[in-house]
């Protein structure tokens, strides 16, 4: 995918917000080259436009939230990460997303519904070359120590890979794969990552609901885990669905860079907040990155010189 892409035609989805529990409608529309991904709150008397970029991220406590210019107040859009992950996974550079409330619908809790929606709309190649953000030197962010240590880092790579390790100290989660590495060059995002659902613990639900969060959460849109086991009747979609969902989230969190990344991401117990800090740390120093294009498929990194296969 050396050229920028948008969708061929307009497409719609209706669902509820994971945290708000409110019904919301999304309309995805084609956008010209160099637009990026742009949300528009069309429910407001004067629609508010929020272009996605690292500085627009204003809150990362439960989900990735954006506001115009990253302001602490004012109109916002919550829980953008799964839709952003699908856009990155399919190589969509330019898209208008009209939304009728402040939270992106959770749909099935993974990125698979968004992938299906975008593929149904069809991908349209555009005349402008795709611009990549290439990592030039290692950048790392850390938080906590001992049992609360978390870190995330980027290193240079001629391609894009993500390695994630989880450590929840929970019997049902610990019984699954704790480490996974995904390489975008494999073209297997849709098959290996997109279907991994968000997950939550029953012990947290009461606390979250008392704070007005997780109001839309159910076993239809999340893997629900009690103190010992997964409660969903059908079990897991992947043996290692938890760590794969963390990679799905990281793909979305990092795509708020506004450009696809060339680099090797690795992380231990990271989340939306640390992923955003890593991105800001990269962008804070121009020695960390460069913007590149490829006009010859032969010189492009593996997996980026041709359309990503559809599984
Ligand atoms: Zn998620």
């Amino acid at each position: 995918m050396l050229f920028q892409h948008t969708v061929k035609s307009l497409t719609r989805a209706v669902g509820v917000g994971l945290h708000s529990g409110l019904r919301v409608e999304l309309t995805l529309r084609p956008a010209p080259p160099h637009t990026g991904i742009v949300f528009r709150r069309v429910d407001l008397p004067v629609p508010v436009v929020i272009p996605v970029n690292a500085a627009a991220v204003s809150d990362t406590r439960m989900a990735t939230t954006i506001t115009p210019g990253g302001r602490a107040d004012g109109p916002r859009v919550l829980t953008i990460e799964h839709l952003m992950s699908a856009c990155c996974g399919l190589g969509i550079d330019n898209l208008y997303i009209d939304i009728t409330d402040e939270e992106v619908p959770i749909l099935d809790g993974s990125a698979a519904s968004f992938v299906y929606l975008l593929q149904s709309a069809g991908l349209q190649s555009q005349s402008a070359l795709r611009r990549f953000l290439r990592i030039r030197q290692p950048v790392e962010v850390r938080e906590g120590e001992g049992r609360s240590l978390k870190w995330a880092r980027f290193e240079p790579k001629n391609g894009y890979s993500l390695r994630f390790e989880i450590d929840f100290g929970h019997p049902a989660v610990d019984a699954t794969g704790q480490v996974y590495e995904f390489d975008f060059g494999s073209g297997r995002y849709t098959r290996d990552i997109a279907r991994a659902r968000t997950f939550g613990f029953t012990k947290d639900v009461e606390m979250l609901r008392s704070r007005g969060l997780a109001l839309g959460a159910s076993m239809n849109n999340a893997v629900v885990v009690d103190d010992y086991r997964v409660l969903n009747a059908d079990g897991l979609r992947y043996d290692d669905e938890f760590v794969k969902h963390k990679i799905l989230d990281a793909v979305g969190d990092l795509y708020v860079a506004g450009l696809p990344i060339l680099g090797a991401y690795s992380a231990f117990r990271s989340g939306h907040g640390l992923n955003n800090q890593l991105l800001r740390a990269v962008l804070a120093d121009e020695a960390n990155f460069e913007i590149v294009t490829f006009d010859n498929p032969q010189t492009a990194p593996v997996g980026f010189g041709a359309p990503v296969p559809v599984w």
Side-chain angles (χ1 to χ4, degrees):
M1 307 268 270
L2 302 187
F3 288 91
Q4 295 182 24
H5 281 70
T6 187
V7 289
K8 271 198 177 105
S9 59
L10 174 154
T11 181
R12 282 207 174 86
V14 177
V16 297
L18 178 70
H19 292 303
S20 69
L22 296 174
R23 181 188 183 279
V24 56
E25 190 176 310
L26 274 188
T27 306
L28 310 181
R29 299 192 298 111
H34 303 297
T35 303
I37 312 285
V38 176
F39 281 87
R40 307 203 291 193
R41 283 282 306 275
V42 295
D43 54 312
L44 302 171
V46 177
V48 170
V49 175
I50 315 179
V52 178
N53 55 58
V57 174
S58 55
D59 191 349
T60 52
R61 278 170 297 183
M62 293 305 299
T64 295
T65 296
I66 52 169
T67 53
R71 287 203 315 261
D73 55 359
R76 57 184 192 164
V77 179
L78 287 75
T79 322
I80 66 166
E81 58 270 17
H82 301 166
L83 176 51
M84 291 301 293
S85 185
C87 288
C88 183
L90 294 183
I92 292 177
D93 303 275
N94 305 303
L95 188 68
Y96 289 123
I97 304 168
D98 293 352
I99 185 166
T100 61
D101 202 339
E102 65 173 16
E103 190 174 7
V104 174
I106 189 67
L107 302 181
D108 75 337
S110 76
S113 305
F114 295 119
V115 165
Y116 176 77
L117 201 64
L118 292 163
Q119 285 180 334
S120 307
L123 267 58
Q124 176 68 56
S125 181
Q126 298 176 291
S127 56
L129 283 174
R130 211 163 184 217
R131 298 162 69 239
F132 294 86
L133 191 154
R134 179 154 68 191
I135 304 295
R136 294 184 61 204
Q137 57 187 21
V139 179
E140 181 176 289
V141 291
R142 277 174 177 263
E143 206 179 281
E145 51 190 60
R147 283 293 303 160
S148 62
L149 174 70
K150 305 170 179 188
W151 56 261
R153 72 185 264 129
F154 262 124
E155 286 166 83
K157 181 188 170 100
N158 189 30
Y160 186 24
S161 62
L162 300 101
R163 181 189 189 280
F164 204 104
E165 182 172 355
I166 54 174
D167 178 16
F168 281 87
H170 183 288
V173 180
D174 292 358
T176 69
Q178 301 291 286
V179 185
Y180 192 76
E181 180 161 355
F182 175 70
D183 194 321
F184 262 89
S186 68
R188 292 166 65 100
Y189 171 84
T190 299
R191 186 156 112 176
D192 290 351
I193 301 295
R195 297 177 63 242
R197 290 162 295 174
T198 193
F199 52 93
F201 301 95
T202 47
K203 64 178 169 52
D204 297 333
V205 168
E206 228 166 274
M207 180 272 292
L208 289 171
R209 295 213 161 135
S210 70
R211 289 167 50 199
L213 295 166
L215 300 177
S218 77
M219 276 193 249
N220 294 324
N221 55 37
V223 177
V224 181
V225 188
D226 72 4
D227 287 345
Y228 306 101
R229 63 190 200 285
V230 171
L231 299 181
N232 302 58
D234 293 337
L236 298 176
R237 289 179 175 178
Y238 303 109
D239 290 343
D240 46 5
E241 188 167 358
F242 301 103
V243 70
K244 282 183 170 171
H245 187 78
K246 299 298 284 187
I247 288 182
L248 184 159
D249 276 343
V251 169
D253 288 340
L254 299 171
Y255 199 42
V256 305
L259 300 175
I261 293 171
L262 296 178
Y265 164 91
S266 55
F268 175 64
R269 300 181 65 233
S270 185
H272 304 306
L274 207 57
N275 289 340
N276 189 245
Q277 278 182 42
L278 176 64
L279 203 53
R280 287 179 190 237
V282 167
L283 298 174
D285 182 347
E286 284 185 10
N288 290 337
F289 69 94
E290 61 188 341
I291 308 296
V292 296
T293 59
F294 300 94
D295 50 15
N296 178 357
Q298 305 304 324
T299 60
V302 172
F304 293 90
V308 175
V310 174
W311 296 95

